[in-house]
Amino acid sequence: DYIFKLRKGNKLLFYSDGMFEVFDSKEKLYGLERFNETTIKLKNKSGNECLDELYEIIGNYCNRKFKDDTTMLLLEILEVRA
């Protein structure tokens, strides 16, 4: 069990493996490590911008040839009540 203390501005990203198990034209895998690095670079963007840019970056990488589902859900903490 894990407990996370969320603060205003925190984001939680849920995604399917289809978001990082994509290949470029040379069959090079995008991979989880690169996906994580990409999400960190986008952390200061709004939730919608994060999702849009992630999908664009990964879509460009694989030339929009997704072979698996590409599902993402981002929760952004807008307000914290005591």
Side-chain angles (χ1 to χ4, degrees), residues 1-71:
D1 293 350
Y2 295 96
I3 296 175
F4 296 94
K5 188 167 192 157
L6 300 174
R7 295 179 175 84
K8 183 178 179 178
N10 287 160
K11 296 177 186 77
L12 297 173
L13 178 63
F14 301 90
Y15 50 86
S16 65
D17 60 357
M19 291 307 304
F20 58 86
E21 291 179 348
V22 295
F23 298 87
D24 66 8
S25 60
K26 297 177 183 172
E27 293 299 312
K28 184 175 179 186
L29 178 67
Y30 192 80
L32 181 58
E33 185 175 337
R34 189 182 311 190
F35 181 82
N36 289 338
E37 290 169 0
T38 303
T39 61
I40 290 168
K41 290 177 186 174
L42 299 173
K43 70 181 181 180
N44 293 320
K45 306 259 183 184
S46 74
N48 285 338
E49 289 174 319
C50 285
L51 292 177
D52 290 345
E53 289 191 35
L54 267 172
Y55 193 76
E56 185 69 20
I57 290 166
I58 295 166
N60 287 340
Y61 185 83
C62 68
N63 200 27
R64 305 264 183 269
K65 293 180 181 172
F66 296 101
K67 297 180 181 176
D68 197 355
D69 67 297
T70 53
T71 304

